[in-house]
Amino acid sequence: MLITLEGPEGSGKTTQARLLADWLRARGHDVVLAREPGGTPIGDQIRAVLHDPANTDMAPWAEVFLYAASRAQLVSAVIRPALKAGKVVLCDRYADSTLAYQGYGRGLDLEALRQVIALATGGLTPDLTLYLDIAPEVGLARRRAGGGEFNRLDQETLEFHRRVRAGYLDLASQEPQRWVVVDASGSVEEVQETLRWILVQRIPAL
Ligand SMILES: Nc1ncnc2c1ncn2[C@@H]1O[C@H](COP(=O)(O)OP(=O)(O)OP(=O)(O)O)[C@@H](O)[C@H]1O
Ligand SMILES: [Mg+2]
């Protein structure tokens, strides 16, 4: 079972993924928590290039292929072996981030991006995608308050982040059987409660 968390900057993906992993483990599941970009030694080196604020002149397709390279490594080294071993894989961002950011955000051709994604993942699609929806102003303010890294994407305009959010909502509406849209504006505990409820509803085996 591959479950992905998606959403704009600061929507709470990393926070919620950790809590969900703890909860699933307490229920007796073998859980692998992965993140993108990165999640492998090679992927983490690619992540550093992608997040370096100094890399302002990155060509849009170079960005796409860096994310794709990181993803190909993660799928091959972590996700497929874990799924084969019967584990639950929780992934903090995955292929839909490429469609939202590079497609809707930067305006690259969605069909071309889908082809790159298919090559990088070998067609591995999530069983369930939890989309944490938040206004970009709120998410970016949370990130700033949290005092985490300032990365290359934080330099993007609010308009860019609004296109990303609208893109996510568009993707979710196209595949309602895979996506669940979650209001992420509540407290950490409220959002976690909602996510657990959704998992129990969607995946009775859990
Ligand atoms: N529901 C919430 N209410 C208020 N603050 C929150 C909430 N969830 C997370 N935060 C805080 O907001 C910041 C961003 O959260 P988190 O890193 O989980 O988001 P993210 O979606 O993983 O962000 P990014 O896209 O940057 O990886 C952190 O400082 C976190 O503690
Ligand atoms: Mg995060």
Side-chain angles (χ1 to χ4, degrees), residues 25-116:
R25 285 182 185 125
R27 287 172 78 97
H29 297 287
D30 212 339
V31 179
V32 170
L33 184 53
R35 74 161 181 185
E36 275 209 14
T40 62
I42 290 169
D44 286 336
Q45 293 175 61
I46 298 171
R47 180 186 179 96
V49 174
L50 282 164
H51 281 190
D52 187 345
N55 290 335
T56 48
D57 59 349
M58 192 179 292
W61 283 101
E63 183 182 51
V64 168
F65 287 117
L66 285 168
Y67 280 112
S70 169
R71 184 169 305 138
Q73 186 66 20
L74 185 70
V75 167
S76 160
V78 175
I79 300 182
R80 283 203 190 270
L83 293 177
K84 208 169 165 203
K87 298 177 185 175
V88 177
V89 179
L90 272 183
C91 201
D92 180 354
R93 290 197 183 282
Y94 187 62
D96 296 304
S97 284
T98 292
L99 297 174
Y101 283 76
Q102 281 70 48
Y104 291 87
R106 302 222 190 278
L108 298 184
D109 183 69
L110 287 169
E111 268 324 298
L113 290 172
R114 288 186 199 280
Q115 290 175 25
V116 174

Side-chain angles (χ1 to χ4, degrees), residues 7-16 47 92-93 101 132 139 142-143 145-147 151 184-189 191:
E9 314 295 307
S11 53
K13 299 175 295 296
T14 303
T15 304
Q16 298 296 338
R47 180 186 179 96
D92 180 354
R93 290 197 183 282
Y101 283 76
L132 303 184
R142 278 183 186 175
R143 273 182 57 91
N151 73 37
S185 64
S187 69
V188 170
E189 295 74 20
V191 176

Side-chain angles (χ1 to χ4, degrees), residues 142-173:
R142 278 183 186 175
R143 273 182 57 91
R144 279 193 294 274
E149 64 161 13
F150 176 86
N151 73 37
R152 197 174 52 91
L153 288 160
D154 291 311
Q155 298 167 332
E156 290 296 338
T157 61
L158 201 51
E159 270 316 303
F160 172 83
H161 290 290
R162 290 202 177 112
R163 288 196 299 276
V164 170
R165 182 197 194 185
Y168 270 128
L169 290 169
D170 197 32
L171 292 169
S173 73

